[in-house]
Amino acid sequence: MTDDDKKIPLSQPDINEDDIEAVARCLRSGRLSRGPWVEEFEAGLAEFIGTKHAIAVSSGTAALHILMVGLGLRPGDEVITTPFSFIASTNCILYAGARPVFVDIDPHSLNLDPRLLDCALTDRTKMILPVHVFGRPCAMDALMSFADQHILDVVEDACEAIGSRYRSQSVGSFGIAAALAFYPNKQITTGEGGAIVTNDPFLAELCRALRNQARAESGASSHYSRLGFNYRITDLQCALGISQLRRIRQLVARRSEVAGWYRELLADVKEIILPVPPEEGAEISWCLFVIRLSDRFGEGDRDLVLERMAENGIECHAYFPVIHREAFIRKELGPIPGSFPVAEAVAARTVALPFSSVMSREQVERVCNALKASLVRRASRRC
Ligand SMILES: Cc1ncc(COP(=O)(O)O)c(C=O)c1O
């Protein structure tokens, strides 16, 4: 076995022979784009999430961007969102010329704290963009009732949360629309890819048009009603997506098993904080398994743990860095109102551990042993 074989990557797609055959069948058909696989994938996604419409696009970021444009965000509008997320959930607001307004996170769920929404509300607030971080559902009851009370759109960033449920309802079906993503670290993958899900027929039609340059066909000619994009996904990608979606429950269950092993093997490690169990009525479809060093450690300690893990051939990641600290965001936004002590304290201590549905118990044990050893070294240095 070479050293490379022993390496444990941060994530790995779960591809089987059916997936390969599905893509090969699409290739043999000659229909590589705007063909029947796109429609079939969309129908499967809508059914799985429980929405009337799904529009498959080239990435989760594209899905979010189309939604910001389709929902009519304009320069000067404000969108309340979380600073503890993948950068795309803030970038999409900036693409539309609108302003992200950050709200701190709940220290347990690591999702936007609905108790703080009031402080962020202004006359310019148009939308709330909650992110179901690492697959954990946001507190949708509180978020939706605040949004209803103040007549705000809710767009769920469910890019990490396909398969998660809240009060027996799929995440992604609460707001006016949601974005899904299918990068290879996600529960199901299309290589690159994403989708919009919504019950709104007008929004669905608009998103469909915006994905394809806002093109309208009439007979043999076409025209363009407004500024659109090329955010199309290919049939090749959708053929893989259909095959993956067929076994999504199995993939999600397998991820849950891996998360369970981590919980069991790390339960007694007092130097770390494990992800809390889902709140009553919620189910997590795990996208990433992220632990935190306890409060007596700092960012430097965390970075050394990452280094030690890398030395052992185990790929971990500091996930997420807080968005409001990125230099370009500060340049774009100028002074950022509010403070985000929880997000900052969490982001300084997180370690995303290798996670996928193809991990073996033995690999999880290796990760946990290496983590414990690196923590012992850090802890003894601090005494
Ligand atoms: C929370 C979140 N939002 C948006 C995205 C964007 O998805 P994509 O990388 O497909 O553009 C991701 C992808 O990792 C994500 O994790």
Side-chain angles (χ1 to χ4, degrees):
M1 197 186 269
T2 66
D3 278 355
D4 269 358
D5 291 331
K6 281 194 256 159
K7 282 200 171 138
I8 304 182
L10 187 59
S11 69
Q12 251 183 302
D14 191 331
I15 301 295
N16 69 10
E17 287 306 313
D18 289 345
D19 295 333
I20 294 167
E21 183 47 36
V23 176
R25 229 177 296 131
C26 176
L27 273 171
R28 283 187 216 108
S29 80
R31 292 293 301 274
L32 303 190
S33 190
R34 301 181 68 205
W37 279 270
V38 177
E39 280 176 28
E40 190 182 334
F41 186 42
E42 291 178 339
L45 285 172
E47 192 189 338
F48 182 75
I49 300 292
T51 51
K52 294 201 176 103
H53 309 277
I55 300 97
V57 292
S58 52
S59 69
T61 307
L64 286 165
H65 185 187
I66 287 181
L67 280 170
M68 299 302 109
V69 173
L71 288 165
L73 270 194
R74 307 182 67 79
D77 291 345
E78 292 181 356
V79 179
I80 301 176
T81 191
T82 170
F84 187 69
S85 172
F86 183 59
I87 192 81
S89 59
T90 288
N91 280 353
C92 67
I93 301 165
L94 296 172
Y95 296 157
R99 190 177 171 87
V101 175
F102 298 115
V103 153
D104 208 356
I105 58 171
D106 175 274
H108 305 292
S109 70
L110 309 188
N111 286 328
L112 187 155
D113 188 339
R115 293 169 301 184
L116 303 175
L117 288 170
D118 230 359
C119 311
L121 190 71
T122 73
D123 292 347
R124 293 179 297 277
T125 310
K126 290 284 169 347
M127 183 187 288
I128 308 176
L129 197 157
V131 181
H132 305 289
V133 167
F134 308 144
R136 180 181 301 276
C138 292
M140 292 314 293
D141 281 351
L143 281 167
M144 292 309 296
S145 81
F146 184 90
D148 287 347
Q149 197 185 334
H150 298 283
I151 318 172
L152 305 172
D153 283 332
V154 173
V155 168
E156 294 170 73
D157 181 336
C159 287
E160 298 187 352
I162 187 169
S164 295
R165 295 173 75 77
Y166 182 83
R167 308 227 186 284
S168 311
Q169 194 180 324
S170 278
V171 153
S173 62
F174 287 88
I176 176 85
L180 306 173
F182 311 118
Y183 185 76
N185 67 341
K186 301 296 189 291
Q187 293 87 336
I188 62 167
T189 187
T190 57
E192 295 279 356
I196 293 152
V197 283
T198 181
N199 284 319
D200 184 318
F202 301 105
L203 181 61
E205 199 183 319
L206 180 54
C207 291
R208 239 175 250 293
L210 287 170
R211 153 181 83 174
N212 189 27
Q213 312 284 12
R215 179 163 146 174
E217 317 273 352
S218 76
S221 67
S222 41
H223 60 95
Y224 303 88
S225 52
R226 54 183 287 170
L227 185 65
F229 311 98
N230 176 2
Y231 283 159
R232 294 188 304 266
I233 189 168
T234 65
D235 280 75
L236 286 172
Q237 290 165 297
C238 291
L240 177 56
I242 293 163
S243 181
Q244 292 256 305
L245 194 57
R246 259 184 215 129
R247 57 195 172 97
I248 187 166
R249 292 194 198 284
Q250 202 183 315
L251 295 171
V252 168
R254 189 72 181 79
R255 282 173 173 262
S256 214
E257 187 179 18
V258 176
W261 292 336
Y262 271 130
R263 286 193 160 291
E264 175 199 328
L265 296 168
L266 296 174
D268 297 330
V269 184
K270 59 181 184 323
E271 292 90 353
I272 64 165
I273 301 168
L274 286 169
V276 293
E279 70 174 87
E280 173 107 22
E283 285 167 46
I284 301 176
S285 163
W286 293 92
C287 181
L288 295 122
F289 195 86
V290 179
I291 57 117
R292 260 185 293 159
L293 301 198
S294 69
D295 292 345
R296 72 188 168 109
F297 295 98
E299 194 163 3
D301 297 310
R302 190 274 313 276
D303 293 347
L304 277 167
V305 167
L306 293 174
E307 264 177 47
R308 299 271 176 275
M309 297 297 274
E311 282 163 16
N312 281 296
I314 298 171
E315 194 187 355
C316 295
H317 208 78
Y319 205 66
F320 307 105
V322 277
I323 293 174
H324 62 276
R325 285 255 177 106
E326 296 294 347
F328 89 93
I329 294 283
R330 290 180 165 273
K331 215 164 131 199
E332 287 274 342
L333 297 183
I336 296 174
S339 63
F340 320 100
V342 181
E344 287 172 13
V346 167
R349 293 174 177 82
T350 48
V351 179
L353 300 177
F355 190 68
S356 72
S357 51
V358 296
M359 277 188 88
S360 65
R361 169 106 187 175
E362 191 214 328
Q363 283 181 311
V364 172
E365 281 169 3
R366 245 188 78 202
V367 175
C368 293
N369 290 338
L371 181 65
K372 285 179 203 169
S374 73
L375 287 167
V376 168
R377 281 176 70 180
R378 286 314 305 148
S380 60
R381 288 235 184 115
R382 294 186 75 77
C383 295

